[in-house]
Amino acid sequence: MEGVSGNKYGGILRFSRDDPIIVAETGDSSSRKPRADAERNRLRLLDTAKAAFGEKGPSASLEEIAREAGVGIGTLYRHFPTRDALIEAVYRNETMQLADAAARLIETHPPVKALRQWLLLFVDYLGTKYGMAAVFGSVTGGTAALYAACNSGTPEAIALLTDRAVASGEIKLDMDPIDLLRAIAGVASAGPGWQDTARRLIDILIAGMRV
Amino acid sequence: MEGVSGNKYGGILRFSRDDPIIVAETGDSSSRKPRADAERNRLRLLDTAKAAFGEKGPSASLEEIAREAGVGIGTLYRHFPTRDALIEAVYRNETMQLADAAARLIETHPPVKALRQWLLLFVDYLGTKYGMAAVFGSVTGGTAALYAACNSGTPEAIALLTDRAVASGEIKLDMDPIDLLRAIAGVASAGPGWQDTARRLIDILIAGMRV
DNA sequence: ATATTAAGTGGAGGGCGTCTCCGGAAATAA
DNA sequence: TTATTTCCGGAGACGCCCTCCACTTAATAT
């Protein structure tokens, strides 16, 4: 499992180092002000990458992304040393909305209904972002990419929802709740109409978790 | 649907001796006996590819497969014009065992138990064939590969099982049963220990389908 | 305004993959 | 054996990943 050295994407199976991405001006006092062109290029790359992943899935060509963004391939790699880093950066913003929605649903809905509602939102979300769905089922990206894409509050969001529902005594769940998302994303590889299937699956899952 | 259409060479996708499906024998009596070395190479390729997919997933290098099989890359492409064609050929035999198991379970177990038992078998199967699990969630291969890998009786097998369970009035299911497999395969992208998760998921699914 | 300097740029290049093409080898039929 | 047909196999064109480093340029110091 770990020894897969023949992988053509050298960095894919490595976990990303801690967060080079968030700018977070935590007073690193000594240094000079960051260059303006660097940040500009970073944003251009993110924009282009988002579009590319959206329409070609997570294995879109990085060279092409750089070309379309009008920067050299070296610049892309400087900003995002691995494909995972780029994917993570792209979807970080995106998935934050899901996390926010979770907080809102918790305040306005009873436990199980909130959970169900959020899962439905998750399906909608996968629907609007083809690349996103692919990331979840990705083989190329594997676990690393999955975790990366999730590290924006999604695990916490669903954990919050399921914990509350469990605490209310209405459901029981003896597995990592993120696997519910994996299961849902699993049907996203089906053809058109998968969203209906996904929604039915949600109801099955919730019914199956009820005590 | 459009994916596998690269079949410009006739008859390439013919399968081995006891395959009643494709052979179809439409009186091409005019031609000579197929060459022995061709069939030999085809089998060597299948063997090697099975091993390669098993340990490196469905994106294993075709060049390496050809090299290990001791044939030229051209020969590989002659027999299997696309990666999907090779994957399909490899897993056709494999999945037939699952279909057989379904028939057996139907005769020896009550409806729901048979279904559950078969799903557990499916998990075991994914476990022994890493490549197999990857195929289900594959992006590279996409839908085409998925369908290809499934076209060996797996859809029929699970349809049989679920139909029987539904007919018995014990469960209800308003979706393509193959999506149950997709959901299960979805958690296979998780890290080590995913098999336990998958088994718990099965129980949740079955509980959720109960009327 | 000019010099200084370190961060940032971009593309050439090596390695590996996919896929096509076709001259030549090999097996079958006569 | 010879003729005919099928099949082999690797060279070659091209794409992608990723590294490396000579050069550029924005931010500072003078």
Side-chain angles (χ1 to χ4, degrees):
Chain A
M1 231 197 297
E2 69 297 84
V4 191
S5 49
N7 196 313
K8 70 177 165 179
Y9 306 107
I12 280 298
L13 295 178
R14 230 176 18 236
F15 279 70
S16 15
R17 317 92 352 131
D18 4 359
D19 264 4
I21 291 154
I22 293 200
V23 201
E25 6 201 314
T26 47
D28 30 36
S29 47
S30 64
S31 82
R32 64 168 62 182
K33 192 163 73 173
R35 283 173 55 155
D37 55 344
E39 183 63 9
R40 194 169 51 234
N41 282 336
R42 214 185 71 91
L43 293 181
R44 287 190 59 86
L45 280 169
L46 279 178
D47 258 18
T48 315
K50 180 169 151 189
F53 288 145
E55 70 185 56
K56 312 203 183 191
S59 57
S61 160
L62 298 186
E63 273 187 343
E64 195 177 325
I65 289 176
R67 215 179 308 128
E68 264 175 47
V71 307
I73 182 66
T75 300
L76 185 152
Y77 275 96
R78 158 168 287 266
H79 283 287
F80 309 101
T82 66
R83 179 182 225 92
D84 283 0
L86 181 55
I87 293 181
E88 171 175 0
V90 165
Y91 288 112
R92 176 176 297 271
N93 283 339
E94 308 290 317
T95 50
M96 277 181 179
Q97 301 175 12
L98 279 177
D100 289 350
R104 230 173 309 124
L105 285 171
I106 282 184
E107 290 180 3
T108 58
H109 289 72
V112 173
K113 186 159 190 179
L115 174 60
R116 178 167 177 278
Q117 218 57 34
W118 190 83
L119 290 177
L120 289 172
L121 224 61
F122 181 72
V123 170
D124 283 348
Y125 195 72
L126 289 186
T128 60
K129 303 281 166 195
Y130 162 64
M132 183 77 193
V135 163
F136 269 85
S138 170
V139 172
T140 317
T143 340
L146 176 64
Y147 272 66
C150 286
N151 274 346
S152 342
T154 309
E156 290 80 2
I158 187 161
L160 231 59
L161 287 159
T162 51
D163 283 356
R164 193 169 77 118
V166 167
S168 79
E170 294 179 73
I171 73 168
K172 185 168 77 74
L173 180 63
D174 47 5
M175 57 190 243
D176 187 339
I178 205 103
D179 283 311
L180 293 177
L181 302 187
R182 284 196 240 260
I184 293 171
V187 309
S189 57
W194 66 265
Q195 298 195 42
D196 280 336
T197 304
R199 286 188 261 268
R200 294 203 193 93
L201 179 62
I202 288 175
D203 286 332
I204 292 181
L205 288 173
I206 289 194
M209 292 187 294
R210 281 222 145 83
V211 290
Chain B
M1 282 324 191
E2 31 72 33
V4 206
S5 54
N7 189 10
K8 10 193 134 156
Y9 312 86
I12 288 290
L13 291 178
R14 237 175 352 174
F15 292 101
S16 55
R17 57 275 182 226
D18 41 17
D19 189 331
I21 305 171
I22 309 271
V23 185
E25 195 65 39
T26 47
D28 43 24
S29 48
S30 66
S31 79
R32 64 167 61 184
K33 190 164 73 175
R35 284 173 53 158
D37 54 345
E39 183 65 8
R40 195 169 51 234
N41 283 335
R42 215 185 71 89
L43 293 181
R44 286 189 59 86
L45 280 169
L46 279 178
D47 258 18
T48 315
K50 179 169 151 189
F53 288 146
E55 69 185 57
K56 311 203 186 194
S59 57
S61 160
L62 298 184
E63 270 186 345
E64 195 177 325
I65 290 175
R67 215 179 309 130
E68 264 176 47
V71 307
I73 182 67
T75 301
L76 185 152
Y77 275 95
R78 159 168 287 268
H79 285 287
F80 310 100
T82 67
R83 178 181 228 93
D84 281 359
L86 181 54
I87 293 180
E88 170 174 2
V90 165
Y91 288 112
R92 177 174 297 270
N93 282 339
E94 307 291 316
T95 50
M96 278 181 179
Q97 300 175 11
L98 280 177
D100 289 349
R104 230 173 308 123
L105 286 170
I106 281 183
E107 290 179 3
T108 58
H109 290 71
V112 174
K113 185 160 189 178
L115 174 60
R116 178 167 178 279
Q117 218 57 33
W118 190 83
L119 289 177
L120 289 172
L121 224 61
F122 180 72
V123 170
D124 282 349
Y125 196 71
L126 289 186
T128 60
K129 304 280 166 193
Y130 162 65
M132 183 76 192
V135 163
F136 269 85
S138 171
V139 172
T140 317
T143 340
L146 177 62
Y147 273 66
C150 286
N151 274 347
S152 341
T154 308
E156 291 81 2
I158 187 159
L160 232 60
L161 287 159
T162 52
D163 283 355
R164 193 169 76 118
V166 166
S168 79
E170 295 180 73
I171 73 168
K172 185 169 79 74
L173 180 62
D174 47 4
M175 58 190 244
D176 187 340
I178 204 104
D179 283 311
L180 292 177
L181 301 187
R182 285 196 241 260
I184 292 170
V187 309
S189 58
W194 67 266
Q195 298 196 42
D196 280 336
T197 303
R199 286 190 261 267
R200 294 205 193 91
L201 179 62
I202 289 175
D203 286 332
I204 292 181
L205 288 172
I206 290 194
M209 292 186 294
R210 281 221 144 85
V211 289

